[in-house]
Amino acid sequence: MGLLDKLAGTKHPPEGADHGSAEEVRTALLGLSRPDVPYVVRNGAEDRADLVAEWRIEEPTWQPFFLRSQLTHAVRIRMRLVPEDREVRALEEQWAVTRVGNPPRLAISSEYSRGPNRTVTRRWTLGRGDSGRLEATETFRFDGTGLRDPLRDAVLKSGWTWRGVLFGKL
């Protein structure tokens, strides 16, 4: 495995793994989309892919007096199944937009990134605990690997390679 493969997050199945068909891989990936997970895996024809996994997060808002601030994340992984190579090519994209105003209309900051990313966002609230002492309680958490890892694991379990795409077309 070369440097670009390592940077792109490419993973190979274990030696001697049974290779499932493209339809079995597709079924395994679509099966990850359940009501108890915060993402959806769907047909990706409208996004120029075979499958798309999406996770959209809206952080809780902070409202001091008249100002409202909100950060919205969107993570999308577009996947192309390549049966002749027994691999799933995956392009991961992330967006983060901070909106300010009441109602929020003005985007003061936005980010876009492509490729595997270790995005972790946390929000803490300070308050008094049972003992009366000041405590920090985590009220929001977002970790981008919560979407990528189940997809990659399903592909590897099917005996296929998970190939991250950094540049070019999917």
Side-chain angles (χ1 to χ4, degrees):
M1 181 161 53
L3 179 62
L4 274 180
D5 276 344
K6 187 170 182 112
L7 291 173
T10 298
K11 300 284 184 192
H12 298 280
E15 290 292 325
D18 290 335
H19 302 291
S21 68
E23 196 53 43
E24 290 170 334
V25 173
R26 175 185 292 278
T27 301
L29 290 168
L30 288 171
L32 294 173
S33 189
R34 303 180 315 270
D36 63 330
V37 296
Y39 54 83
V40 63
V41 181
R42 62 175 175 77
N43 184 340
E46 64 189 42
D47 293 300
R48 294 173 294 166
D50 293 327
L51 295 170
V52 171
E54 291 179 307
W55 190 352
R56 293 172 192 245
I57 301 293
E58 285 191 8
E59 288 190 26
T61 59
W62 175 65
Q63 296 180 320
F65 307 110
F66 62 90
L67 187 62
R68 179 177 166 183
S69 174
Q70 181 176 6
L71 180 64
T72 303
H73 291 281
V75 177
R76 176 175 69 178
I77 300 178
R78 295 187 301 147
M79 295 170 278
R80 171 88 53 210
L81 279 64
V82 185
E84 55 274 6
D85 296 333
R86 287 194 300 257
E87 69 181 23
V88 173
R89 294 184 186 149
L91 174 61
E92 187 172 337
E93 300 170 295
Q94 301 89 22
W95 295 267
V97 178
T98 303
R99 294 181 178 94
V100 174
N102 200 2
R105 291 193 178 129
L106 174 64
I108 62 166
S109 162
S110 63
E111 295 177 25
Y112 171 80
S113 64
R114 182 175 169 158
N117 191 348
R118 178 72 174 149
T119 301
V120 177
T121 303
R122 294 180 179 180
R123 181 163 286 173
W124 301 82
T125 302
L126 293 176
R128 300 268 178 213
D130 294 336
S131 66
R133 302 185 99 184
L134 202 57
E135 294 180 354
T137 305
E138 188 176 278
T139 56
F140 176 80
R141 181 184 184 108
F142 169 77
D143 186 345
T145 61
L147 175 59
R148 181 186 332 112
D149 290 354
L151 297 169
R152 185 189 61 216
D153 294 346
V155 168
L156 295 174
K157 189 175 180 180
S158 297
W160 283 39
T161 297
W162 175 267
R163 184 165 310 280
V165 175
L166 294 176
F167 309 105
K169 293 183 179 181
L170 189 62

